Amino acid sequence: MSNEIKISQHTAILLEHARKVLLDEVQIREAVRLKDPILLKNAEGEHYQYGDFFTYAEEHAEQIEQALEGYRMTFNTRNGLKIWVEEKFNLQAHVDFKFGDNRIDELHLDEHQLTQLRQSLAVNWVVLEKPLREGIQEVSLVLRGQED
């Protein structure tokens, strides 16, 4: 995909957190269109601040409006990927999936979620899949080069 929209892991986490908390895609799209962090104020929390969200995106040439339709993260850290999975799929580490050194295991996703994961995950991670069971895929995410 030469037209692939790339954003930072930080931007992706903030975007997915807003989607999870606000549950109002129209409001999020309006905030992005107007570049108005005030419209995202209700999504703020201890680790989720939107004051410089649009400034950061502009400084790093991130196209957030296009990213609303899909994106690939430029790089994933171990902990950042855990947070993104929690925000994106509304899951919790050590409850809904195992989180260890350089990997996430026993992550259960439906086909739509798996497609979103494959499209969004940075290239420094690999998706290992187990066969489908009743529409659910068991997935491990492994740091590239650590697949053993």
Side-chain angles (χ1 to χ4, degrees):
M1 281 199 295
S2 60
N3 293 346
E4 187 172 65
I5 301 300
K6 293 187 178 180
I7 62 175
S8 69
Q9 175 180 270
H10 178 69
T11 298
I13 289 170
L14 286 173
L15 179 60
E16 298 305 339
H17 179 74
R19 285 175 156 162
K20 182 174 105 175
V21 172
L22 297 177
L23 300 174
D24 185 351
E25 192 73 15
V26 172
Q27 180 181 354
I28 295 166
R29 288 178 182 281
E30 187 69 1
V32 169
R33 187 180 68 76
L34 297 173
K35 298 179 181 168
D36 185 353
I38 299 299
L39 294 173
L40 302 174
K41 194 79 171 154
N42 289 337
E44 288 191 347
E46 181 181 356
H47 301 291
Y48 302 95
Q49 300 296 316
Y50 292 88
D52 66 348
F53 183 63
F54 298 109
T55 305
Y56 177 90
E58 284 182 12
E59 288 173 357
H60 294 86
E62 294 182 339
Q63 300 171 338
I64 297 177
E65 195 162 3
Q66 292 86 345
L68 290 170
E69 306 307 322
Y71 57 82
R72 179 167 307 278
M73 290 175 275
T74 54
F75 187 82
N76 290 120
T77 63
R78 172 184 168 274
N79 197 52
L81 181 56
K82 174 189 74 84
I83 294 167
W84 182 84
V85 166
E86 290 175 329
E87 295 299 328
K88 177 72 175 173
F89 303 118
N90 199 20
L91 300 173
Q92 188 177 354
H94 307 296
V95 173
D96 299 306
F97 60 90
K98 290 184 178 178
F99 175 64
D101 289 339
N102 301 323
R103 63 186 303 129
I104 291 174
D105 290 302
E106 297 180 21
L107 178 61
H108 295 101
L109 302 174
D110 64 30
E111 282 298 317
H112 178 70
Q113 292 170 320
L114 183 56
T115 298
Q116 290 178 316
L117 173 69
R118 281 192 209 112
Q119 291 172 348
S120 301
L121 192 65
V123 297
N124 63 313
W125 287 80
V126 176
V127 178
L128 305 176
E129 303 171 30
K130 292 186 181 175
L132 279 171
R133 291 187 338 264
E134 300 173 17
I136 302 296
Q137 187 84 21
E138 184 174 314
V139 175
S140 291
L141 306 176
V142 184
L143 189 62
R144 189 170 296 282
Q146 306 288 312
E147 293 96 333
D148 303 348

